[in-house]
């Protein structure tokens, strides 16, 4: 069965797009068919994958708002991509009174989902309709969380949103786990925050090993490639490989 996983945190700057791209790449290296779906109007994932958002004729907007077939760009570093651009920001208001709006992404994915083993959805940093329809379409939620104490403050609202979706409209939604990001082991604050994340959130789901803070991610994104292609011996490559193994074994 296809596993549809929403990478979701209402906070910005927690490396959701980086996580989505690199996890997808490591799953593809394990011979899985992977589709990435960019649901963030900022289009960071679309850019990381080498496309120019403003030049796209069709995006995820056309699928969820206009109910057209999902536009898919195939074979980008072993993965497929349903891209986006700023037009998706209009969807919040345009879907407000739309029929069956909660199921728009679910319906867009339905005709093609069996073509893939994993569909990874990069959600926007908000608790709005775009995130909501992403959670409705998903089997699992994977939460990137920055190793900073302020990040924990927002986790309760995030989990309330997940619980609301699970109780009302998607009873099969499960928490795949939490991925601490931007971790610097030399920083005592990061070390304390990581310990608190592990202690607090392990009661809700698995806490995966932390993704280290590194300029190598910036360098890789500038080249529009995953980290493992840019710096195969970087320590974070092993972290993503372990994460992919954990997702694979769910």
């Amino acid at each position: 069965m296809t596993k549809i996983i929403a990478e979701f945190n209402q906070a910005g700057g927690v490396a959701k797009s980086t996580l989505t791209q690199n996890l997808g790449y490591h799953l593809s290296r394990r011979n899985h068919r992977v589709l990435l779906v960019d649901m963030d109007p900022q289009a960071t994932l679309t850019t990381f994958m080498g496309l120019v958002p403003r030049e796209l004729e069709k995006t995820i907007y056309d699928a969820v708002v206009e109910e057209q077939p999902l536009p898919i760009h195939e074979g980008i570093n072993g993965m497929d991509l349903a891209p986006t651009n700023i037009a998706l920001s209009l969807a919040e208001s345009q879907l407000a009174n739309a029929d069956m709006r909660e199921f728009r992404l679910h319906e867009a994915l339905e005709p093609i989902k069996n073509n893939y083993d994993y569909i990874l959805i990069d959600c926007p940093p908000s608790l709005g309709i775009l995130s909501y329809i992403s959670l409705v379409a998903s089997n699992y939620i994977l939460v990137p969380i920055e190793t900073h104490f302020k990040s924990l403050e927002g986790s309760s609202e995030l989990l309330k949103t997940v619980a609301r979706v699970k109780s009302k409209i998607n009873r099969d939604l499960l928490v795949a786990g939490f991925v601490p990001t931007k971790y610097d082991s030399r920083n005592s604050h990061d070390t304390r925050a990581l310990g608190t994340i592990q202690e607090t959130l392990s009661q809700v789901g698995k806490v995966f090993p932390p993704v280290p803070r590194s300029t190598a991610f910036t360098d890789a994104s500038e080249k529009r490639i995953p980290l493992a292609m840019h710096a195969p011996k970087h320590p974070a490559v092993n972290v993503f490989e372990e994460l992919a193994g954990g997702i694979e074994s769910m």
Side-chain angles (χ1 to χ4, degrees):
M1 185 180 72
T2 305
K3 294 178 181 176
I4 304 176
I5 305 171
E7 275 71 29
F8 174 54
N9 192 322
Q10 79 272 19
V14 298
K16 284 191 302 295
S17 300
T18 297
L19 174 64
T20 305
Q21 180 192 36
N22 284 279
L23 173 58
Y25 178 71
H26 282 266
L27 288 169
S28 73
R29 292 209 308 183
R30 291 168 171 256
N31 297 317
H32 296 296
R33 301 164 299 167
V34 177
L35 172 66
L36 308 183
V37 178
D38 194 349
M39 285 295 291
D40 186 348
Q42 297 178 73
T44 302
L45 177 62
T46 296
T47 302
F48 282 2
M49 293 291 284
L51 303 185
V52 181
R54 67 177 180 275
E55 296 179 356
L56 296 170
E57 293 184 4
K58 296 288 184 179
T59 68
I60 194 73
Y61 170 90
D62 298 281
V64 300
V65 176
E66 304 295 339
E67 298 183 279
Q68 297 178 15
L70 190 72
I72 296 176
H73 293 247
E74 299 180 343
I76 305 176
N77 298 322
M79 300 170 283
D80 292 353
L81 171 70
T84 197
N85 59 23
I86 194 63
L88 189 61
S89 62
L90 301 173
E92 292 278 355
S93 58
Q94 292 175 335
L95 290 177
N97 298 310
D99 292 337
M100 304 294 286
R101 63 175 186 169
E102 295 88 351
F103 296 97
R104 287 299 182 94
L105 182 57
H106 173 85
E107 292 300 319
L109 294 175
E110 191 65 25
I112 56 87
K113 72 176 185 180
N114 290 334
N115 297 335
Y116 299 97
D117 301 305
Y118 292 93
I119 298 176
L120 308 183
I121 305 173
D122 186 15
C123 298
S126 74
L127 297 174
I129 184 62
L130 295 177
S131 292
Y132 192 81
I133 67 175
S134 297
L135 296 180
V136 171
S138 299
N139 311 124
Y140 298 92
I141 173 176
L142 184 65
V143 183
I145 181 167
E146 186 177 358
T147 48
H148 196 287
F149 282 107
K150 67 178 178 61
S151 300
L152 281 167
E153 295 175 2
S155 61
S156 60
E157 288 303 315
L158 182 152
L159 293 173
K160 286 179 183 177
T161 300
V162 175
R164 187 167 68 251
V165 173
K166 185 176 177 67
S167 66
K168 293 183 178 297
I169 201 165
N170 184 2
R171 297 186 185 278
D172 296 327
L173 183 64
L174 300 173
V175 176
F178 301 86
V179 183
T181 62
K182 299 186 174 183
Y183 175 63
D184 187 345
S185 60
R186 300 167 299 178
N187 187 318
S188 60
H189 175 275
D190 285 23
T191 301
R192 295 195 305 275
L194 176 62
T196 303
I197 289 170
Q198 292 170 331
E199 180 181 354
T200 304
L201 296 180
S202 62
Q203 302 171 35
V204 181
K206 180 179 176 63
V207 178
F208 290 96
V211 178
R213 182 187 301 271
S214 175
T215 57
F217 287 111
T218 303
D219 296 336
S221 64
E222 287 179 356
K223 293 182 177 180
R224 308 297 188 251
I225 56 176
L227 180 66
M229 294 181 68
H230 167 67
K233 295 184 179 181
H234 193 281
V237 170
N238 291 331
V239 174
F240 285 120
E241 188 63 23
E242 184 173 345
L243 173 60
I247 295 300
E248 192 178 49
S249 65
M250 288 191 307

